[in-house]
C-alpha cells in the first residue's frame, strides 16, 4: 500500500483535468473543465470554465459554472457566476446565481424545495 502524504501543486486548467488526493487547487480557464474528487484548498473558475466538485473544496470562486455534489466551505460568485448545489456548502457570497437542489445543505440549513437564488 502507498500513502500519499504530499500535496499536488496549484494547476492552471485549459482542457480537462482531474484533482484527486490533496491539492493546492486550480484555476480553470475558459474552455477548461475540472473535476475535484479529493481535497483542494482553492479553486477559481473563470468565465467559460466549468468545475465539478464531488470531493471537498475550501474556497471556490466562480465566474463560470460549477456543480457541487460534495462539500465546499465558501463559494464566492463573481461576475455573474453560476453554481448548482446538491451537496453541502458553508456560505455563498458575491454576485451570481445558485440553484439549490432539494436535499442540499447551505449554511447548516436543509433545502426543502429546489430553488434558484440570486446573490
Amino acid at each position: 500500500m502507498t500513502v500519499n502524504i504530499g500535496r499536488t501543486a496549484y494547476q492552471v486548467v485549459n482542457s480537462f483535468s482531474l484533482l484527486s488526493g490533496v491539492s493546492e487547487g486550480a484555476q480553470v480557464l475558459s474552455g477548461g473543465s475540472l473535476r475535484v474528487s479529493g481535497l483542494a484548498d482553492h479553486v477559481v473558475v473563470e468565465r467559460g470554465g466549468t468545475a465539478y466538485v464531488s470531493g471537498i473544496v475550501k474556497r471556490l470562486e466562480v465566474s463560470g459554472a460549477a456543480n457541487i455534489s460534495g462539500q465546499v466551505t465558501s463559494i464566492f460568485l463573481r461576475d455573474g457566476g453560476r453554481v448548482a448545489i446538491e451537496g453541502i456548502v458553508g456560505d455563498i457570497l458575491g454576485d451570481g446565481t445558485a440553484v439549490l437542489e432539494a436535499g442540499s445543505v447551505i449554511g447548516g440549513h436543509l433545502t426543502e424545495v429546489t430553488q434558484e437564488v440570486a446573490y
Side-chain angles (χ1 to χ4, degrees), residues 36-61:
V36 180
S37 62
L39 171 66
D41 282 337
H42 186 200
V43 174
V44 176
V45 184
E46 300 294 344
R47 187 176 300 272
T50 305
Y52 302 90
V53 178
S54 58
I56 300 171
V57 173
K58 291 180 183 176
R59 178 182 173 106
L60 177 64
E61 295 182 39

Side-chain angles (χ1 to χ4, degrees), residues 37 43 54-55 66 74 77 89-90 107 117 119:
S37 62
V43 174
S54 58
S74 295
L77 296 172
V89 172
V117 180
Y119 288 89

